[in-house]
Amino acid sequence: MKKQDYFNILLGLLLSGTFLLSCSNNDLEDKTISGTRILKVNICESFEGGSDEKTLARSEESDTIFQDYNNGLKIEAVIKRDEITDTRAVSSSVGVGVKVLAIVINDKTNEVYRIHQLTVNGTSQLECEVPDYDVRVVFYSYNSTTTMPTTSLVQGDLASTTARDNYEEGDRDVMWATTGVIKSTDKNLGQIKFKHLHARIKMVFGYSSGNLRSFKTSLESNGIRQHSIVRIISGTMVPGTQASSIDFKNSIPGGSGITELPSEYYLTVPAGIESSCKLSVTQINESQLKDHFITFNKKFEPSGSYTIHFTVTKNDFIWGWTGDFTQWDAQAYYRQGTSPQPGGMDYYRQGMDLAQFLCKYCPSAEDVRLMLGSGVYWDTYHGPEWHYFEWTYTTGLWVKKKGKWGTEKTERVAPLPEATPTVRLSGDYIFLPASGIISPLYGNGVDLPGYAGYYWTNTPYNDDEAYNLFFDHTNARLDHRSREMGFTLWTFWE
């Protein structure tokens, strides 16, 4: 007897409680072959969301979080369960060649009759050999054309066994379905109900400047786990104990940007309990960001599909200013009260090549010459507010946006003109706070906040010094100072 050990099915990626519908009432054919029969099922490519999922999507309130930063950035995040029209129930389908494990169970003895390795064929059909008595069939898949699920279950095992669980990684799209009891006289398999045991999350990143080319963010939470334990026959999933994280990212080629950029969906194991989450933005275009995050509580559910709408609004006045200090091109920030030591991550980098670490995206010395040559203005009382600890300042330097620079170069502007309302409101300038300096000369504490600004470039001057922008109320100039000084970082994003 030639046994046909394949069971072809076109599945849909569904959310909790959703199911695939058979296309007709004649999808199950009975072919007796020496005490066995071949169940043949045609599966619709259309999907219908279950009522439970519709209720969840509509009733679950979105979580909205806001956060302001002293460098002019504002973050808004909206975390919500996808509406039915955006879920896997209607937006995805299982393609030809997807591997499926089929476990046939004798309904009378509750024992495993046989385990088949099946593949979706080109006609979107599935076939499975079963005996001529009452059976149930459990289907298990990773929605993959290359990876067939494995199991330690063997022929003769009781379906109720608790010793054959699967260990599944969080990035697997684990799907499960069962037929219920198929009578020996049945001619119609009826509905096959599929569900996803893991969850998926994506991010839609918005940027108010309209010039978004790339982003990187990360989600850390005990509410998502690295792996799960799955009991295949019952379709139960127990989250593992190790917390997980997701790195969302995307980029587009070319120089022009857009206002919104989505990531792909990332699979994860939902813990099913409300947990604290930390969502950090680490890069926008070429700008590296540190300590820009929001926290919130969220319960991620099995089979859930979620979208995080993450919007960054940038104050064009305080632009690209981090509010942190660093020795020249160190790998970690210079904290006041500390004394960076050679070999430490917060110690300055040596060598004469351009910056590679924290100062990598700072303007060059040549950029500063062009910027100064394009006109700069000091502001004492009417600049945008910026904060250092409990103090509020308005002092700083107005400089033209990079796209507004001319070709004239200079290394010093003195005397420094005072900003006018025309300059402040023109939209052509950005504002650099007079954020001060951290120096061993001042006991490694912040000195001169509100009085002077010291900003690193990415350009070394000699073996011991690097170029920087300096300004106070009297002048602005391209300077060079010892690399051990703690200066401010900056960048021109547009």
Side-chain angles (χ1 to χ4, degrees):
M1 176 184 66
K2 181 178 180 181
K3 296 183 178 179
Q4 302 182 37
D5 280 347
Y6 57 92
F7 187 74
N8 302 310
I9 182 171
L10 182 61
L11 306 173
L13 287 175
L14 309 172
L15 289 180
S16 57
T18 60
F19 52 85
L20 289 159
L21 294 178
S22 59
C23 290
S24 72
N25 292 326
N26 300 311
D27 291 333
L28 181 62
E29 297 180 3
D30 187 61
K31 300 178 182 179
T32 301
I33 306 176
S34 301
T36 65
R37 51 185 167 146
I38 300 298
L39 300 182
K40 184 178 180 181
V41 183
N42 294 315
I43 302 298
C44 292
E45 294 190 20
S46 61
F47 301 92
E48 181 176 334
S51 59
D52 288 345
E53 181 177 336
K54 293 179 182 179
T55 301
L56 281 170
R58 292 171 181 170
S59 64
E60 184 173 312
E61 293 186 1
S62 300
D63 299 286
T64 304
I65 304 98
F66 301 91
Q67 181 68 54
D68 293 347
Y69 296 91
N70 62 2
N71 62 352
L73 287 184
K74 296 181 179 180
I75 290 176
E76 176 184 347
V78 180
I79 303 96
K80 63 180 295 186
R81 194 180 186 117
D82 292 337
E83 295 288 343
I84 186 66
T85 54
D86 299 320
T87 64
R88 290 176 281 192
V90 295
S91 62
S92 303
S93 62
V94 173
V96 172
V98 166
K99 309 295 184 183
V100 179
L101 201 66
I103 302 166
V104 182
I105 301 166
N106 184 325
D107 190 58
K108 182 177 181 179
T109 64
N110 202 35
E111 294 179 347
V112 174
Y113 163 76
R114 189 156 298 168
I115 300 173
H116 299 296
Q117 293 184 344
L118 315 170
T119 303
V120 175
N121 68 13
T123 59
S124 301
Q125 290 185 327
L126 55 89
E127 295 180 357
C128 184
E129 179 190 358
V130 301
D132 283 331
Y133 47 76
D134 294 357
V135 295
R136 309 190 309 273
V137 183
V138 171
F139 307 109
Y140 196 70
S141 175
Y142 296 150
N143 193 23
S144 169
T145 59
T146 58
T147 304
M148 175 68 74
T150 60
T151 177
S152 58
L153 287 165
V154 295
Q155 186 173 343
D157 275 347
L158 285 174
S160 57
T161 180
T162 60
R164 304 290 194 180
D165 295 344
N166 266 33
Y167 179 97
E168 302 292 8
E169 297 294 337
D171 59 358
R172 285 177 173 165
D173 191 4
V174 181
M175 301 189 298
W176 176 91
T178 184
T179 62
V181 178
I182 304 170
K183 298 292 185 179
S184 60
T185 57
D186 280 347
K187 301 297 182 181
N188 190 340
L189 189 57
Q191 297 174 351
I192 303 176
K193 185 177 181 179
F194 280 86
K195 67 177 180 179
H196 294 259
L197 302 187
H198 291 173
R200 68 177 190 174
I201 309 172
K202 79 171 182 179
M203 172 170 287
V204 177
F205 193 98
Y207 187 40
S208 64
S209 76
N211 196 23
L212 178 64
R213 299 180 297 279
S214 65
F215 74 88
K216 292 181 181 179
T217 63
S218 66
L219 173 66
E220 303 170 76
S221 176
N222 191 49
I224 55 177
R225 306 291 173 82
Q226 295 183 18
H227 72 274
S228 67
I229 304 297
V230 176
R231 191 154 295 167
I232 295 180
I233 292 179
S234 63
T236 55
M237 185 277 291
V238 177
T241 58
Q242 292 180 297
S244 187
S245 62
I246 299 175
D247 293 323
F248 302 99
K249 60 183 177 181
N250 200 0
S251 62
I252 56 174
S256 60
I258 56 179
T259 58
E260 196 172 80
L261 192 59
S263 75
E264 62 181 275
Y265 274 106
Y266 291 86
L267 292 160
T268 189
V269 176
I273 56 174
E274 185 171 291
S275 302
S276 175
C277 303
K278 179 181 179 180
L279 187 58
S280 304
V281 53
T282 57
Q283 183 173 330
I284 303 175
N285 295 336
E286 294 78 25
S287 297
Q288 306 289 329
L289 299 176
K290 180 179 181 295
D291 294 334
H292 285 66
F293 62 88
I294 55 177
T295 58
F296 57 93
N297 292 330
K298 184 66 179 178
K299 180 181 180 180
F300 294 106
E301 302 267 17
S303 301
S305 181
Y306 301 88
T307 297
I308 301 173
H309 293 269
F310 194 93
T311 303
V312 174
T313 301
K314 176 172 58 62
N315 182 338
D316 283 341
F317 294 159
I318 304 175
W319 200 10
W321 175 64
T322 69
D324 291 308
F325 298 88
T326 178
Q327 292 192 347
W328 188 77
D329 204 30
Q331 298 183 58
Y333 289 97
Y334 187 165
R335 302 300 183 187
Q336 64 170 321
T338 66
S339 181
Q341 299 298 313
M345 297 290 285
D346 56 355
Y347 197 71
Y348 66 83
R349 192 175 66 82
Q350 299 175 317
M352 286 298 293
D353 50 338
L354 294 177
Q356 301 175 11
F357 300 114
L358 287 179
C359 295
K360 181 177 180 179
Y361 298 107
C362 292
S364 66
E366 189 68 7
D367 286 335
V368 173
R369 294 184 179 98
L370 286 167
M371 184 191 70
L372 293 174
S374 300
V376 293
Y377 298 86
W378 173 262
D379 207 327
T380 304
Y381 301 110
H382 303 290
E385 290 186 354
W386 56 277
H387 305 279
Y388 177 72
F389 287 100
E390 68 270 26
W391 297 286
T392 299
Y393 299 94
T394 58
T395 50
L397 189 71
W398 292 94
V399 302
K400 276 192 174 180
K401 297 177 180 179
K402 190 171 184 178
K404 304 292 184 179
W405 292 351
T407 58
E408 183 177 344
K409 301 178 185 178
T410 187
E411 295 194 356
R412 186 170 184 265
V413 176
L416 195 58
E418 184 77 16
T420 65
T422 300
V423 168
R424 298 187 190 102
L425 301 177
S426 68
D428 293 339
Y429 291 81
I430 62 174
F431 183 80
L432 302 178
S435 48
I437 181 177
I438 294 181
S439 170
L441 301 177
Y442 309 120
N444 297 306
V446 176
D447 192 56
L448 302 176
Y451 293 93
Y454 299 80
Y455 287 71
W456 283 125
T457 72
N458 68 0
T459 312
Y461 176 75
N462 58 30
D463 289 336
D464 300 314
E465 298 180 339
Y467 283 104
N468 69 280
L469 168 68
F470 167 82
F471 58 85
D472 61 13
H473 70 285
T474 64
N475 76 106
R477 65 178 184 266
L478 177 64
D479 205 353
H480 50 85
R481 298 289 297 271
S482 170
R483 301 186 189 194
E484 68 176 351
M485 296 297 182
F487 289 175
T488 304
L489 295 178
W490 57 324
T491 182
F492 284 93
W493 290 357
E494 272 73 62

